[in-house]
């Protein structure tokens, strides 16, 4: 038997904190037993989904009964301690929605047991939109308390001042030639870009790219960038047992990207802090009405760690080869 769902309580959704124990997925352990940043963010996402469910408004009920898609539209995460395979996280979700907000806000903390001590491992800020479904016939309206957070299109909360920055004229008179577009997106930048057709496994609610899809793209962008610069993940693993580590990441959805649209992703190194970390920006565009329309933007900070054994690693400074590659300079190494 399955337990009956709790009654709907928008008050609980907006005011009550929830706590749940979660385990990172096995798939996220790619190097030794450490869990990558993408799957850490998946834990944050799952904790928010559990909070909705415990308040009687699970994602399934919102969609099936009210025609509302639960979309995470902003995700900002700091990783303070690494997660390992088989760790169990205690995830606390605290509502953080102010009067007048057009999105639902939450603060998420993940804690983990380390040698008898409970450590704060992750902190995150999450914003959620409730997207009115237009793919199927319109059902009954949303609960009145949730109406302020219902949108007809993701990104509508973006400020009017941002509108001009969200559209970039095509460089070739609107023809959308792939080489010309990629060249324009990277010209004068320390960047790498590629075109990709959005497949259905990255989407949800039948039509649009979801936040987890953007997380996967951010991970792929890093992988493509360092490969292009001659310091691929495997290269540094084989040469010196170095792995990338992520202390911070953020993604914000500013418009919708649809299944089977061509997405142009640009990964730009913005700052190299001494020889310890670097921060890159990811921007995602689709072509609409003769221009490039921004659908998501985010940032990720990387460092490197040296694998000491199957359990431990230590942070290391960049050497000249890595600094030159990240900075876009020819290296004599």
């Amino acid at each position: 038997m399955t337990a009956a769902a709790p009654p709907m309580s928008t008050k609980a959704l907006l005011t009550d904190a929830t706590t749940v124990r979660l385990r990172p997925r096995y798939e996220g352990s790619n190097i030794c037993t450490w869990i990558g940043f993408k799957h850490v963010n998946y834990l944050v996402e799952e904790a928010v989904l559990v909070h909705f469910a415990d308040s009687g408004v699970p994602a399934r009920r919102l969609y099936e009964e009210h025609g509302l898609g639960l979309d995470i539209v902003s995700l900002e995460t700091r990783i303070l301690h690494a997660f390992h395979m088989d760790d169990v996280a205690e995830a606390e979700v605290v509502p953080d929605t102010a009067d007048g907000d057009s999105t639902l806000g939450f603060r998420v903390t993940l804690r983990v047991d380390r040698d008898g001590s409970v450590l704060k491992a992750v902190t995150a800020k999450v914003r959620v939109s409730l997207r009115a479904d237009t793919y199927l016939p319109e059902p009954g309206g949303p609960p009145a308390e949730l109406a302020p957070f219902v949108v007809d299109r993701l990104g509508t909360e973006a400020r009017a001042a941002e509108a001009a920055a969200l559209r970039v004229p095509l460089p070739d008179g609107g023809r959308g030639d792939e080489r010309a577009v990629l060249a324009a997106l990277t010209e004068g930048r320390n960047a790498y870009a590629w075109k990709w057709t959005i497949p259905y496994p990255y989407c949800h609610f039948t039509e649009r790219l979801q936040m987890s899809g953007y997380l996967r793209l951010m991970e792929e962008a890093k992988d493509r960038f360092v490969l292009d610069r001659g310091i691929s993940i495997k290269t540094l693993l084989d040469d010196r047992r170095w792995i990338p580590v992520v202390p911070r990441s953020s993604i914000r959805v500013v418009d919708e990207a649809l299944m089977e649209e061509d997405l142009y992703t640009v990964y730009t190194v913005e700052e190299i802090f001494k020889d310890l970390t670097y921060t890159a920006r990811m921007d995602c565009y689709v072509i609409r009405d003769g221009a490039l329309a921004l659908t998501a933007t985010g940032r990720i900070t990387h460092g490197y760690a040296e694998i000491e054994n199957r359990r431990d690693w230590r942070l290391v400074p960049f050497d000249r080869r890595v600094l030159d590659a990240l900075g876009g300079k020819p290296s004599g190494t």
Side-chain angles (χ1 to χ4, degrees):
M1 294 179 61
T2 58
M8 180 181 294
S9 173
T10 51
K11 180 180 183 296
L13 179 70
L14 295 171
T15 62
D16 293 355
T18 56
T19 302
V20 62
R21 294 175 68 82
L22 302 170
R23 187 185 297 270
R25 297 298 90 196
Y26 196 63
E27 176 195 319
S29 183
N30 308 122
I31 307 295
C32 295
T33 64
W34 301 296
I35 301 297
F37 92 99
K38 179 182 66 182
H39 278 262
V40 171
N41 278 294
Y42 286 178
L43 290 175
V44 172
E45 178 185 65
E46 187 173 355
V48 171
L49 293 174
V50 170
H51 178 78
F52 272 81
D54 285 353
S55 301
V57 282
R60 176 180 175 180
R61 182 177 182 182
L62 284 170
Y63 183 76
E64 293 182 351
E65 296 183 14
H66 302 287
L68 299 177
L70 193 163
D71 275 273
I72 293 178
V73 293
S74 179
L75 178 58
E76 181 181 342
T77 304
R78 294 185 63 197
I79 302 175
L80 309 174
H81 295 278
F83 273 93
H84 290 251
M85 180 192 304
D86 294 331
D87 271 339
V88 176
E90 180 185 80
E92 179 186 35
V93 179
V94 177
D96 188 24
T97 305
D99 292 341
D101 282 355
S102 59
T103 55
L104 292 150
F106 304 94
R107 288 179 285 114
V108 181
T109 302
L110 304 183
R111 297 180 175 88
V112 65
D113 191 302
R114 284 283 180 272
D115 301 321
S117 298
V118 177
L119 302 180
K120 181 188 292 186
V122 175
T123 61
K125 298 177 182 178
V126 183
R127 306 299 301 188
V128 171
S129 282
L130 302 178
R131 166 63 153 84
D133 184 50
T134 53
Y135 188 80
L136 294 170
E138 184 177 354
E145 299 92 332
L146 295 181
F149 312 108
V150 175
V151 297
D152 294 327
R153 187 178 185 88
L154 299 182
T156 55
E157 77 284 354
R159 298 188 308 274
E162 290 183 297
L166 302 184
R167 290 182 64 81
V168 179
L170 285 171
D172 56 354
R175 295 189 304 275
D177 175 75
E178 179 179 342
R179 289 187 179 183
V181 172
L182 293 175
L185 287 172
T186 56
E187 183 178 5
R189 300 182 183 182
N190 182 12
Y192 176 89
W194 82 100
K195 186 182 85 168
W196 173 77
T197 302
I198 301 170
Y200 92 89
Y202 282 63
C203 300
H204 69 174
F205 299 116
T206 317
E207 56 183 1
R208 60 188 174 273
L209 184 60
Q210 60 177 302
M211 177 58 76
S212 64
Y214 282 117
L215 286 167
R216 292 158 77 177
L217 276 171
M218 182 172 271
E219 185 175 56
E220 183 177 354
K222 154 76 176 189
D223 191 58
R224 284 174 173 263
F225 176 82
V226 293
L227 175 64
D228 182 68
R229 296 300 175 89
I231 55 167
S232 73
I233 305 298
K234 180 168 171 49
T235 295
L236 293 191
L237 277 171
D238 289 348
D239 287 355
R240 59 194 75 177
R241 291 186 179 175
W242 281 18
I243 60 169
V245 293
V246 177
R248 185 189 295 265
S249 67
S250 65
I251 298 176
R252 183 168 62 100
V253 175
V254 296
D255 198 355
E256 295 182 0
L258 305 179
M259 188 186 305
E260 297 188 2
E261 277 194 299
D262 289 332
L263 194 77
Y264 290 84
T265 301
V266 189
Y267 184 89
T268 305
V269 173
E270 291 189 315
E271 179 187 26
I272 300 174
F273 180 72
K274 297 183 178 179
D275 58 355
L276 297 173
T277 62
Y278 74 95
T279 299
R281 189 177 80 246
M282 181 185 77
D283 298 308
C284 298
Y285 299 88
V286 296
I287 295 178
R288 292 191 186 130
D289 302 323
L292 286 162
L294 185 72
T295 65
T297 185
R299 284 178 171 81
I300 186 166
T301 299
H302 274 99
Y304 277 101
E306 181 180 17
I307 299 172
E308 294 187 313
N309 52 56
R310 290 187 177 89
R311 181 190 297 269
D312 302 310
W313 50 263
R314 65 181 183 91
L315 293 173
V316 292
F318 304 151
D319 62 10
R320 177 49 50 190
R321 176 186 179 187
V322 170
L323 283 169
D324 286 347
L326 296 177
K329 301 175 183 177
S331 176
T333 306

